[in-house]
Amino acid sequence: MIELRQLRYFMALAEHLHFGKAAESLHITQPPLSRQIAALEVDLGVVLFSRHSRSVELTAAGRDFYQHAKTALAGLDLAIRSMRASARGERGELRVSFTMVAAWILLPELLKAYSDAYPAVSLVLDEVLPRDIGPVLERGEADVALTFPSSGAKSLCYRTLRREPLCAVLPASHPLAAAAEFGIAALADEPFIAFPRQTAPALHEAVMTCCGLAGFEPKIRLETHLQQTIVNLVAEGLGVAVVPDSMRKMQMPGVAFRTLERSPLVEYGVLWSPRNENPCLNTFLQCIGVGGLESRVS
């Protein structure tokens, strides 16, 4: 069995063709180098070097062995560097779950920053309803999530990343579409298209609070789980809606996004399990400014 040390000693001597210089490059004395080279030749059953009084030359077998040994050591060194990069979270795979709203306000810029910093990490993306994100993380089906607060169990960690106001979504033909801004009380008599509370409790609460502060409870005509579907239904003239302001980026024909006066802020952040052992999770948290696995529990 060839030892790795013998292989490295062989490479040093093959490249220097001088026992003294090879030993110096290895930070050893010449006698142990000579013994290891002799032992390697015995193990292989061939003569690798022709020894002369003042020089050393590779034999034909030695030259052939040198090419293969060089490739083998290069592959081993690459494997070691790759292994260490993986252990540091600089290489590997990161599975990211996200809500639709997070896709508009958080996801692109955070993933761009992380990909630029860690190009060897493969990103696997999965859009998930807010109500399902906690179980997905707890089952280990994702490493991290971008979502609303309170989207997971108390065993999960959460940090706030962004806040934004709500805005009104109106059919383009609606009279209020001509206004740049208005109070939500102007929609008190309108049919609303909304999402069930269990889908995104934090967002649902923000919408209900906004309406409640204006003195009314919205008349829900239709409920659906996805913000994009809500906007589509508004475009068809089936009602009005209140959505996070970042949904303006959809630029969908047939609807008007309008600013709401004194709107409450909706919060988004990053959610993860402290039990997750993927090193890429920690590099992601550090990259986005969260600081790592010591962050507070949700």
Side-chain angles (χ1 to χ4, degrees):
M1 179 69 69
I2 299 175
E3 296 181 9
L4 179 60
R5 178 179 57 176
Q6 291 176 322
L7 205 56
R8 294 196 184 278
Y9 284 8
F10 165 78
M11 292 297 296
L13 184 56
E15 289 167 359
H16 287 89
L17 294 177
H18 188 282
F19 274 97
K21 292 180 180 178
E24 185 179 352
S25 72
L26 294 167
H27 306 291
I28 61 174
T29 60
Q30 185 172 328
L33 173 60
S34 298
R35 288 195 297 269
Q36 289 298 327
I37 294 298
L40 177 61
E41 289 177 319
V42 170
D43 290 339
L44 294 176
V46 297
V47 176
L48 299 171
F49 296 95
S50 297
R51 282 85 162 168
H52 306 289
S53 58
R54 294 189 177 183
S55 64
V56 178
E57 293 181 2
L58 283 165
T59 63
R63 290 192 295 271
D64 183 70
F65 186 62
Y66 173 79
Q67 296 301 324
H68 292 290
K70 184 177 181 179
T71 301
L73 284 177
L76 178 60
D77 288 341
L78 178 61
I80 292 172
R81 290 196 300 271
S82 179
M83 172 197 66
R84 289 173 176 167
S86 295
R88 293 190 300 265
E90 298 169 359
R91 178 183 296 275
E93 179 181 277
L94 184 72
R95 298 163 298 167
V96 182
S97 289
F98 60 94
T99 63
M100 176 181 288
V101 177
W104 290 102
I105 192 173
L106 286 176
L107 189 71
E109 63 183 84
L110 294 185
L111 295 190
K112 175 65 164 57
Y114 185 66
S115 294
D116 288 347
Y118 299 98
V121 176
S122 175
L123 295 170
V124 179
L125 307 181
D126 184 26
E127 185 175 338
V128 181
L129 290 175
R131 68 182 184 190
D132 297 328
I133 279 183
V136 164
L137 290 171
E138 290 179 312
R139 292 193 301 266
E141 296 171 3
D143 298 305
V144 67
L146 301 173
T147 184
F148 303 102
S150 303
S151 295
K154 295 298 182 182
S155 60
L156 299 177
C157 297
Y158 173 82
R159 284 291 297 273
T160 301
L161 296 178
R162 193 76 55 86
R163 295 180 176 90
E164 67 167 331
L166 298 168
C167 71
V169 189
L170 312 170
S173 59
H174 195 283
L176 286 173
E181 182 176 352
F182 54 83
I184 196 171
L187 301 178
D189 296 326
E190 299 283 347
F192 270 67
I193 302 170
F195 48 90
R197 184 185 186 283
Q198 63 270 24
T199 298
L203 182 55
H204 185 274
E205 182 64 25
V207 173
M208 293 301 107
T209 297
C210 188
C211 295
L213 290 175
F216 75 98
E217 182 176 341
K219 301 172 183 176
I220 307 299
R221 181 178 186 181
L222 295 170
E223 286 188 329
T224 184
H225 296 293
L226 301 179
Q227 299 291 308
Q228 183 172 347
T229 304
I230 289 175
V231 176
N232 275 320
L233 294 175
V234 171
E236 294 299 322
L238 295 172
V240 301
V242 175
V243 300
D245 196 66
S246 57
M247 296 302 294
R248 293 175 184 263
K249 294 180 180 180
M250 291 184 64
Q251 299 181 347
M252 181 173 292
V255 300
F257 293 91
R258 293 295 178 261
T259 300
L260 288 174
E261 298 171 355
R262 297 181 296 277
S263 166
L265 297 180
V266 182
E267 180 180 310
Y268 311 95
V270 58
L271 189 70
W272 74 95
S273 170
R275 298 182 299 278
N276 188 300
E277 297 181 353
N278 184 352
C280 297
L281 170 61
N282 208 29
T283 53
F284 179 78
L285 295 175
Q286 292 171 351
C287 182
I288 66 176
V290 170
L293 301 179
E294 74 281 358
S295 299
R296 70 176 174 85
V297 174
S298 173

